[in-house]
Amino acid sequence: MIKAVAVDMDGTFLDSQGQYDRERFEGIFQTMLEKDVRFIVASGNQYYQLRSFFPEKEEQITFVSENGALIFKNREVLKENHFTDNLVQELLAFLQAESSELEVVVCGLKSAYMLKSATQRFKEFSALYYFQLAELDSFADLPEDVIVKFALDVPVDQAPKVVADLNEAFKDQITAVSSGHGSIDIIIPGITKGSSIQWLLDQWGIAPNELAAFGDANNDLEMLALTEHSYAMKECSPDVLATAKNQAPSHNEAGVLQVLEGLLS
């Protein structure tokens, strides 16, 4: 019996236009509430962006944001993991010296932060994913906040070197991962969507195989590995296809909703 559902957003729950069938989901969500099935939104994106997709439902949903670093419920933080202040400063100094073409968003609990000098292209791109986003004259002006992730943008041909340099310079202190197209995330080692969802399941007394999980990208692997009821979307990475036990239809065909209707019936 399914007692919890965890969904990635981009490429999984959302279609290519960043939308979902809200009317269809309404019926599914009401069934989940009636059956006491927990609904978890698990994404690399910012909490404030994620909750905007579920107006009037946000207090009934658990949000695992920033690839597992932050867990929110009822607008409150249930659990958080962050870098030390010293490591944040060391990383910023390293990034400044690494490449003059590198751009960065520093992701905190209260807000995300970027430089006023960032390119307009990067500002517009970042605004899609960070609804709480402040522009600073310098990262020396970072407000009092805990930092949970760094999101980088570099020329595509520089990305492999930047990832390798970061992981070598800060071995065991950070994990740098490329998500393609010159995008790089610096995350906390050992903190993933999977580890955070396992923590939630433990709190709720739910067994891993009572979870249904849906994903399409490699930051979903640990989450999908938790349960036999794991679903790779039709358009997914080879690693996701190898890890998930089942396959869902395309995100452009409301694949998650199709599967949930069957699981909850």
Side-chain angles (χ1 to χ4, degrees):
M1 179 179 174
I2 297 302
K3 296 184 179 178
V5 173
V7 299
D8 170 56
M9 290 295 280
D10 296 315
T12 300
F13 191 76
L14 301 178
D15 62 24
S16 296
Q17 284 70 50
Q19 300 296 325
Y20 67 97
D21 187 333
R22 294 175 187 249
E23 183 176 352
R24 189 174 184 180
F25 176 68
E26 182 67 36
I28 294 169
F29 190 67
Q30 290 306 313
T31 299
M32 285 193 285
L33 293 178
E34 291 165 8
K35 294 178 177 286
D36 197 26
V37 176
R38 314 269 187 154
F39 187 60
I40 306 165
V41 171
S43 173
N45 296 347
Q46 188 187 52
Y47 161 69
Y48 304 101
Q49 186 245 22
L50 297 176
R51 79 179 192 193
S52 73
F53 288 104
F54 303 96
E56 301 179 3
K57 294 182 178 66
E58 58 195 53
E59 294 184 356
Q60 298 161 309
I61 296 173
T62 304
F63 294 91
V64 174
S65 64
E66 308 288 10
N67 282 326
L70 299 172
I71 305 176
F72 285 84
K73 181 70 184 293
N74 295 328
R75 295 178 177 261
E76 295 184 357
V77 180
L78 293 184
K79 194 170 190 291
E80 63 98 348
N81 300 272
H82 63 268
F83 296 109
T84 65
D85 292 343
N86 285 342
L87 182 55
V88 169
Q89 294 306 316
E90 291 173 12
L91 280 165
L92 288 170
F94 182 91
L95 294 173
Q96 187 174 13
E98 179 74 5
S99 171
S100 61
E101 298 177 271
L102 184 152
E103 302 200 82
V104 59
V105 173
V106 180
C107 308
L109 171 60
K110 300 175 184 176
S111 178
Y113 309 94
M114 68 188 312
L115 295 178
K116 292 179 182 177
S117 59
T119 63
Q120 188 61 32
R121 178 198 62 81
F122 187 58
K123 289 181 180 181
E124 292 173 0
F125 175 78
S126 300
L128 296 174
Y129 300 100
Y130 300 97
F131 280 26
Q132 294 280 61
L133 180 60
E135 295 188 17
L136 308 174
D137 291 318
S138 165
F139 284 128
D141 301 328
L142 274 174
E144 187 174 333
D145 199 353
V146 294
I147 304 305
V148 301
K149 190 183 79 176
F150 292 76
L152 314 182
D153 184 73
V154 302
V156 174
D157 61 341
Q158 292 185 24
K161 179 181 185 301
V162 173
V163 168
D165 289 349
L166 280 163
N167 285 325
E168 180 178 353
F170 297 94
K171 187 177 181 180
D172 300 326
Q173 295 178 279
I174 61 104
T175 300
V177 292
S178 174
S179 53
H181 310 290
S183 295
I184 298 169
D185 282 346
I186 301 174
I187 58 178
I188 302 166
I191 302 300
T192 65
K193 295 182 187 182
S195 66
S196 290
I197 290 171
Q198 180 64 69
W199 182 86
L200 284 169
L201 297 180
D202 292 342
Q203 300 299 303
W204 296 333
I206 294 175
N209 280 336
E210 294 173 317
L211 168 76
F214 299 80
D216 73 304
N218 284 12
N219 63 347
D220 299 316
L221 293 177
E222 293 84 359
M223 172 177 77
L224 295 170
L226 289 175
T227 176
E228 293 294 314
H229 303 289
S230 54
Y231 292 83
M233 305 309 294
K234 184 177 180 181
E235 298 91 350
C236 69
S237 76
D239 290 338
V240 167
L241 190 61
T243 300
K245 300 297 189 292
N246 308 279
Q247 189 162 17
S250 169
H251 64 126
N252 287 317
E253 300 170 350
V256 171
L257 302 187
Q258 288 190 51
V259 172
L260 287 180
E261 285 168 340
L263 288 175
L264 296 169
S265 64

